[in-house]
Amino acid sequence: MGEVNRSIVLEGNETGFATTKFDSLLNWARKYSLFQYPFITACCGMEFMSLAGPRFDIARFGAEAPRFSPRQSDLLWVVGTISQRQAPALRRIYEQMMEPKWVLAFGTCASCGGFYDNYATVPGIDKIIPTDVYIPGCPPRPEAVIDGLLLLQDKIARGDRTPGIVKPREDVATLGNVNGLVKLEKKSSSKKAER
Amino acid sequence: MSAKVVDALKATFGAAILENHAHCGDDTVVVEASKWLEVATFLKNDPAMKFDMLSDLCAVDYPDRLPRFEVVIHLYSISLGHRIRVKARVGDEEGDGAEIATVTELWPGANWFERETYDMNGIVFQGHPDLRRILLYPEFEGFPLRKDYPAARTQPLVAYRTEAEAGLPLEKLAPFREDEGMAFGRRELPTSEPS
């Protein structure tokens, strides 16, 4: 809530007021009430379901309510590969959305086409529609997607429309390992040595 | 396992069976393209054959061979438990004259297989009830699974945004270097205009 100048703790019967800019208040409200339109075309959809489910629970960020009409939504999730044949549909859905609207490219295919470097696939949805946040990964982990959502919320609060890319996180399992690889060892290795 | 089928085909069609071989127990016969429907009818209706299931129908492009394409069907007999692969060779160097009879009358499931084969390889199935593109869009020019289709040629339905419009670079690094991937198609990269 850093944008609404600061929080004031009131005690007992005290009353008070806070001052802020109207735009900041509006953006603060917008960033916690993103109504999403899930445009799901491929395997990233599985990861999206996980994200929307109770374990990762994007309801915590006020972004869980899907609206299956673009006219009622303000965040377009493009989840998966977009083929050339689908491009007009995606473009039209984007155009049907009301302002203000944001677009989130979920996964490598939506971001840049991924390894589909061929006649059938659009090399990134930004070739067709403006994109606010790119989330790399094939598919991205739900944590990465939450990072992307927080990045978007931050951008909404600042009123910033420059595209952002989610940075990779370091995997805690690999910390402290020189090769950056997790070592898998069998428990029975000592038994083998006895033989 | 299907040696009996091959023998029966040779006995019935004689010189129209151009060659046959077996690989890992799967028998393949190559037949005269003009006898395609006759052979298929025999395999479907003969009481000793009874190939009541069409597993697959596709085509393969061998640019160095003449005729250039092989049309392949994979048949299975549910009642007798045997299977066979039948091929026929069609088409000249330019891919013209790649025509063969439809087997839709025998196996209704061949309908969409033949449409896909037409869509991807440009094989014309004579007598097909509804031969039009099934996966790609009607505006698409050429046949993408032919080896002479440039691997990097795309035909977007929606005009791509320009970098000036987007305000950021939209060109992505190609996932393959010049010497990687489908070398035969990457020799020349024609620029295509969005239709």
Side-chain angles (χ1 to χ4, degrees):
Chain A
M1 270 219 270
E3 308 78 32
V4 184
N5 287 348
R6 59 182 181 275
S7 61
I8 300 162
V9 182
L10 300 178
E11 289 176 9
N13 294 331
E14 273 187 280
T15 54
F17 60 90
T19 57
T20 181
K21 280 187 290 181
F22 179 69
D23 280 355
S24 305
L25 184 68
L26 200 60
N27 285 341
W28 170 78
R30 276 175 181 159
K31 77 178 212 185
Y32 289 122
S33 60
L34 290 168
F35 280 53
Q36 49 165 305
Y37 181 90
F39 191 91
I40 299 183
T41 56
C43 37
C44 276
M46 298 295 132
E47 217 61 25
F48 180 81
M49 289 167 209
S50 154
L51 178 79
R55 182 178 287 268
F56 294 97
D57 193 16
I58 49 172
R60 292 179 290 163
F61 310 99
E64 85 285 13
R67 282 287 173 274
F68 295 105
S69 162
R71 289 152 208 268
Q72 296 174 351
S73 50
D74 42 26
L75 172 57
L76 177 61
W77 290 76
V78 184
V79 183
T81 323
I82 302 298
S83 62
Q84 297 286 6
R85 197 177 175 178
Q86 245 169 352
L90 178 64
R91 171 90 199 197
R92 185 154 181 190
I93 279 172
Y94 175 77
E95 284 167 354
Q96 285 179 339
M97 287 168 68
M98 297 290 198
E99 289 282 356
K101 54 192 173 185
W102 295 274
V103 177
L104 196 146
F106 187 118
T108 305
C109 288
S111 300
C112 67
F115 57 71
Y116 296 107
D117 177 23
N118 60 20
Y119 62 93
T121 305
V122 177
I125 56 165
D126 54 7
K127 295 262 188 192
I128 302 168
I129 55 176
T131 307
D132 290 287
V133 171
Y134 302 85
I135 304 171
C138 186
R141 285 193 59 83
E143 291 92 331
V145 184
I146 290 172
D147 280 355
L149 187 63
L150 294 177
L151 177 61
L152 180 69
Q153 289 185 337
D154 189 50
K155 276 155 51 74
I156 293 172
R158 286 186 282 114
D160 178 8
R161 298 306 300 257
T162 49
I165 301 172
V166 175
K167 297 279 182 296
R169 282 186 181 190
E170 201 154 9
D171 188 348
V172 283
T174 65
L175 289 177
N177 188 310
V178 189
N179 299 320
L181 296 170
V182 182
K183 265 190 187 168
L184 295 176
E185 286 174 16
K186 280 186 180 173
K187 267 190 174 176
S188 58
S189 57
S190 54
K191 277 185 188 174
K192 237 182 184 177
E194 280 170 23
R195 280 184 210 168
Chain B
M1 185 181 166
S2 308
K4 265 190 277 181
V5 179
V6 177
D7 292 341
L9 279 172
K10 279 183 175 168
T12 315
F13 294 98
I17 307 296
L18 301 176
E19 58 184 86
N20 71 289
H21 63 266
H23 180 69
C24 298
D26 288 339
D27 282 285
T28 303
V29 292
V30 182
V31 306
E32 233 18 289
S34 54
K35 298 276 188 202
W36 183 248
L37 187 58
E38 275 180 57
V39 171
T41 311
F42 172 76
L43 290 171
K44 170 83 192 292
N45 294 334
D46 190 89
M49 302 290 118
K50 273 196 191 164
F51 284 98
D52 39 18
M53 184 172 137
L54 176 85
S55 305
D56 193 13
L57 189 154
C58 60
V60 191
D61 184 3
Y62 295 101
D64 301 330
R65 289 192 198 167
L66 206 71
R68 181 173 151 180
F69 298 100
E70 268 183 357
V71 182
V72 189
I73 52 173
H74 293 221
L75 300 173
Y76 179 64
S77 169
I78 296 170
S79 48
L80 301 177
H82 54 203
R83 47 179 98 234
I84 186 105
R85 182 189 297 126
V86 187
K87 294 179 178 178
R89 289 166 185 161
V90 291
D92 64 13
E93 285 156 342
E94 296 302 315
D96 298 330
E99 294 172 354
I100 201 161
T102 178
V103 292
T104 318
E105 295 286 311
L106 300 168
W107 297 280
N111 189 321
W112 282 14
F113 279 128
E114 290 183 350
R115 279 179 66 187
E116 187 190 356
T117 306
Y118 165 71
D119 197 356
M120 293 293 148
N121 283 292
I123 309 287
V124 176
F125 292 89
Q126 290 160 330
H128 190 284
D130 182 23
L131 194 67
R132 52 197 170 90
R133 290 192 183 274
I134 187 169
L135 295 169
L136 294 168
Y137 29 97
E139 296 89 344
F140 198 90
E141 288 168 12
F143 303 101
L145 292 197
R146 286 190 177 182
K147 301 288 191 221
D148 52 10
Y149 185 89
R153 183 180 174 203
T154 55
Q155 304 184 29
L157 281 176
V158 179
Y160 287 169
R161 296 161 74 224
T162 58
E163 304 211 340
E165 217 179 319
L168 71 158
L170 293 177
E171 271 313 305
K172 310 291 191 312
L173 287 176
F176 306 111
R177 291 200 312 268
E178 284 295 309
D179 56 327
E180 294 174 329
M182 295 169 281
F184 46 81
R186 286 181 192 281
R187 277 176 223 140
E188 47 182 326
L189 307 177
T191 51
S192 69
E193 293 296 316
S195 53

